[in-house]
Amino acid sequence: MMQADGKMVDGSLLGDANGVEPAPGRLKDSGKWQRPRFSRKALMKCCLVKWIITSKQAQDKGDSSDSDLELSTVRHQPEGLDQLQAQTKFTRKELQSLYRGFKNECPSGLVDEETFKSIYSQFFPQGDASTYAHFLFNAFDLDRNGSIRFEDFVIGLSVLLRGSVTEKLNWAFNLYDINKDGYITKEEMLAIMKSIYDMMGRYTYPCVRDEAPSEHVDKFFQKMDRNRDGVVTIEEFIETCQKDENIMNSMQLFENVI
């Protein structure tokens, strides 16, 4: 699949259910999956990080003063820097950079769904990113109040970019569980898959067929729904993913669409 910057990325959300060879460098000598290390360069592949850092750089040109996490002008006061550093895997300097960009783009201290849609429409102008941005926003909006605090924003990013395998899989389950009832249905999985194809699919190589998302979901869901009750639990999801190297390798796709 072709990314917005012209790079090739995996065309499926969870890898190829037919067993495509895993990406090189992702397996240990023992054959077990190894979580990729995210460098600063890899971090900058993340759309949300690009959005924040670009805003910060623009702000820095006109403001050379240092900024911490204490602002009296915002509607929402974020938690202290030390507390966020303890809750995430970002350094103090990274958190400062992320916050400066965040508050420059969102002076109120909160980000709404329309902002998410705007971000993804900028990075994926060749497709329709609105539905995917909606689903992604809901995954970050843990208290379901229609806005995301800086704390929730960076905690989510920390999991996605530097979290353990289990942490990432829990986050992915939350994304697929659209109605947040603790289960993933085939319809929910298909909705997420189609939203990614709508955003990126028309510019894939080789060209993606219209029925491709449904075919992928049928294969993945059959693997995950172990007791054949029509839904996938968090336990089934994590167990299946951890036992399937192709699925685990494809988790790197979050680098390209988050």
Side-chain angles (χ1 to χ4, degrees), residues 134-152:
H134 167 74
F135 290 141
L136 189 64
F137 179 86
N138 285 343
F140 275 92
D141 184 16
L142 298 179
D143 53 12
R144 312 285 283 174
N145 67 356
S147 60
I148 300 170
R149 306 176 305 158
F150 177 72
E151 299 94 307
D152 296 331

Side-chain angles (χ1 to χ4, degrees), residues 10-30:
D10 188 353
S12 69
L13 184 58
L14 288 173
D16 191 290
N18 288 324
V20 171
E21 286 296 318
R26 298 292 179 177
L27 296 180
K28 295 180 180 178
D29 293 338
S30 64

Side-chain angles (χ1 to χ4, degrees), residues 2 41 45 50 66 90 118 122 176 182 209 223 254:
M2 190 76 73
K41 182 178 180 181
K45 292 181 181 179
K50 285 182 184 177
D66 291 330
F90 291 124
S118 175
Q122 291 173 37
Y176 288 115
R209 294 170 292 111
K223 281 188 174 186
F254 281 121

Side-chain angles (χ1 to χ4, degrees), residues 9 16 26 30 50 63 91 102 116 132 146 150 178 208 254:
V9 299
D16 191 290
R26 298 292 179 177
S30 64
K50 285 182 184 177
D63 178 13
T91 66
F102 186 92
F116 259 54
Y132 177 74
F150 177 72
I178 294 174
V208 174
F254 281 121

Side-chain angles (χ1 to χ4, degrees), residues 40 53 95 103 127 145 161 221 236:
R40 180 174 177 81
I53 297 301
L95 286 169
K103 62 102 172 179
N145 67 356
L161 299 174
F221 202 86
E236 288 176 321

